[in-house]
Amino acid sequence: MSDYNFAYLDEQTKRMIRRAILKGLAIPGYQVPFASREMPMPYGWGTGGVQVSAAVLTPDDRFKVIDQGADDTTNAVSIRSFFERTAGVATTTATTEATVIQTRHRIPEVPLAEGQILVYQVPIPEPLRFLEPRESETRKMHSLEEYGLMHVKLYEDISRHGHIATSYAYPVKVEARYVMDPSPIPKFDNPKLGGCPAIQLFGAGREQRIYALPPYTRVVSLDFEDHPFEATKADHPCGLCGADDSYLDEVIIDDTGGRMFVCSDTDYCETRQAAGHRGKDAA
Amino acid sequence: MTPLLSVQDITKRYGAQIGCADVSFDLYPGEVMGIVGESGSGKSTLLNCMAGHLVPDAGKVVFDTRGHGPRDTVTMSEPERRMLSRTDWAFVHQHARDGLRMGVSAGGNVGERLMAVGARHYGEIRGMAVDWLDRVEIAACRVDDRPTTFSGGMQQRLQIARNLVTGPRLVFMDEPTGGLDVSVQARLLDLLRGLVRDMGLSAIIVTHDLAVVRLLADRLMVMKDGHVVEAGLTDRVLDDPQHAYTQLLVSSVLQV
């Protein structure tokens, strides 16, 4: 038992957030404004995701937090222990066992299932922000479905780099209606957004926006006919578990330029190693 | 013949001040109309009312749309009006910076309108952009440069290319040669005259420079204090001004 109300936020606040979530689920990809609260952590550390998690957690849930795919980084560890203390919920690092997963910048490698909720931390929910700084104008563009400008950004990418160089926060179109920022996940993860059996919720605390993808939503990454979307990753197998289908981190391991590539999803990598898979750098 | 644009009794007030009052005229396809007057005479207000940037307090702006014939653009829905303003209409701002995206390359600037109406083939968009840069005398090798690296005259020509790429039928121009030196002005006017002829454009040009309207405009409206004081064929108005203010305006032109 803790001295906090269940999951830190008071019940009225959670109701308010749940209303925003329900509205977001009803209009997939639409950014719902909500009255974001001060959280005991700085903006940019997942205040939006934490508030959404607090609103959807129940005492029976099993909670997992990942930061860039890893369960053991500062952000992930502190948010997990935050909810252990304030909600007393069970936690796990296993993707398949978790019912609520809060994530920063990755989608787990193991396909999600019905009944799971994936909560994204979003720094900038507005995909048009850096093209059109006026929020009044971007809202109008969303409501009138004027998305030509989004392709101007992709055009600029190709004219400067010869290919679409946007490699994360790659814009998507939801149910042929709203253009959405999928949070800064690598574009390798974009194909997992569409047709996903789990509920996907996006919370931006500083920007006070919540948006959502209900299960099995149609999500298409924007592209050009002659420069189609491509999900890219480092062209290596994982050094520890040998997986060649997972998103990889490049790790510098000495001062002479030595490097190794490892799965960014630690749970996926450890599960594979436990099953006896070995990469070339495994000890 | 149906007028392309029929302006009926447009009035716009700013509180007690009159922006423009009871302005009416018809513009026929292929015609270029000049609006002259001193600063504060209401010519920009009128232009913005016609282009949908300002909502007039009274009056109609009836445009002959491609699909549905003459429609009042003041009362049509905003999506329809915005669709018009990126297909059949073009607006050339006095300051190129207002009409360009300064952080986006020249090619991206020209391509934006194409992408806004659904073009999704990079090669074709780029081909169109290069073609249009050539038409406004900007070297094709500058296609990936940002407008910030362009001279004032080049920026203005880029703005014109960006506006004309979707083949509009009506162009609104607000002081298109303002702030440019005379030799650059001359080349820009030459270019505009060529484009208007070749594409059969209709245009409404707001300016205080009588030389510009003499070169470009078929008809002329003179405004003073929000009212049209004189209207007629450009040559007639400039050579035989009837209203006292027009006489003053014509006689004030510096003779070199």
Side-chain angles (χ1 to χ4, degrees), chain A residues 109-275:
Chain A
E109 302 290 354
V110 178
L112 300 174
E114 280 182 23
Q116 289 186 307
I117 299 177
L118 186 60
V119 178
Y120 295 79
Q121 302 172 197
V122 182
I124 293 163
E126 179 51 72
L128 301 161
R129 174 66 50 84
F130 294 108
L131 302 157
E132 174 53 67
R134 289 167 296 177
E135 177 81 14
S136 58
E137 185 65 16
T138 55
R139 281 208 218 182
K140 195 170 274 181
M141 291 160 84
H142 281 294
S143 59
L144 299 178
E145 225 180 321
E146 283 181 9
Y147 290 130
L149 198 52
M150 206 68 246
H151 273 86
V152 173
K153 177 180 160 32
L154 301 180
Y155 171 95
E156 289 290 286
D157 259 9
I158 302 173
S159 72
R160 204 169 306 157
H161 305 287
H163 60 99
I164 298 177
T166 303
S167 58
Y168 65 96
Y170 192 101
V172 294
K173 195 157 201 183
V174 180
E175 287 290 338
R177 178 59 183 86
Y178 283 99
V179 164
M180 184 189 95
D181 182 322
S183 89
I185 58 171
K187 66 177 170 184
F188 174 82
D189 283 342
N190 268 27
K192 300 181 203 166
L193 291 162
C196 176
I199 296 174
Q200 300 174 77
L201 305 175
F202 299 77
R206 180 187 53 215
E207 304 287 327
Q208 313 198 324
R209 293 289 183 277
I210 284 173
Y211 49 105
L213 296 174
Y216 305 109
T217 305
R218 207 150 33 96
V219 180
V220 178
S221 303
L222 299 180
D223 59 2
F224 284 103
E225 288 158 18
D226 47 347
H227 286 266
F229 171 80
E230 219 180 332
T232 53
K233 67 184 272 285
D235 191 17
H236 295 268
C238 171
L240 296 178
C241 75
D244 55 9
D245 58 352
S246 66
Y247 191 73
L248 301 173
D249 287 339
E250 183 179 7
V251 183
I252 306 292
I253 48 177
D254 55 35
D255 288 343
T256 57
R259 64 196 60 202
M260 65 186 290
F261 290 88
V262 293
C263 294
S264 93
D265 186 335
T266 50
D267 171 58
Y268 181 73
C269 197
E270 281 160 15
T271 310
R272 276 179 57 87
Q273 289 178 61

Side-chain angles (χ1 to χ4, degrees), chain B residues 98-116:
Chain B
D98 297 337
L100 292 173
R101 288 191 193 278
M102 300 307 281
V104 169
S105 71
N109 265 295
V110 178
E112 181 178 341
R113 270 171 83 111
L114 293 170
M115 292 182 249

Side-chain angles (χ1 to χ4, degrees), chain B residues 2 5 21 38 43 49 57 66 71 86 91 105 121 139 152 170 179 185 187 193-196 220 233 241 254:
Chain B
T2 323
L5 188 78
E38 61 194 7
K43 49 194 198 310
C49 283
D57 295 322
R66 283 183 214 230
R71 296 273 312 272
R86 54 175 193 264
F91 197 103
S105 71
H121 191 284
L170 175 59
Q185 270 190 31
R187 283 181 56 205
R193 203 148 60 149
L195 290 172
V196 166
L220 191 59
L233 295 176
L254 281 176

Side-chain angles (χ1 to χ4, degrees), chain A residues 22-40:
Chain A
L22 288 175
K23 182 167 181 180
L25 285 166
I27 317 171
Y30 171 72
Q31 298 167 45
V32 186
F34 80 111
S36 178
R37 298 291 194 251
E38 292 267 345
M39 296 302 283

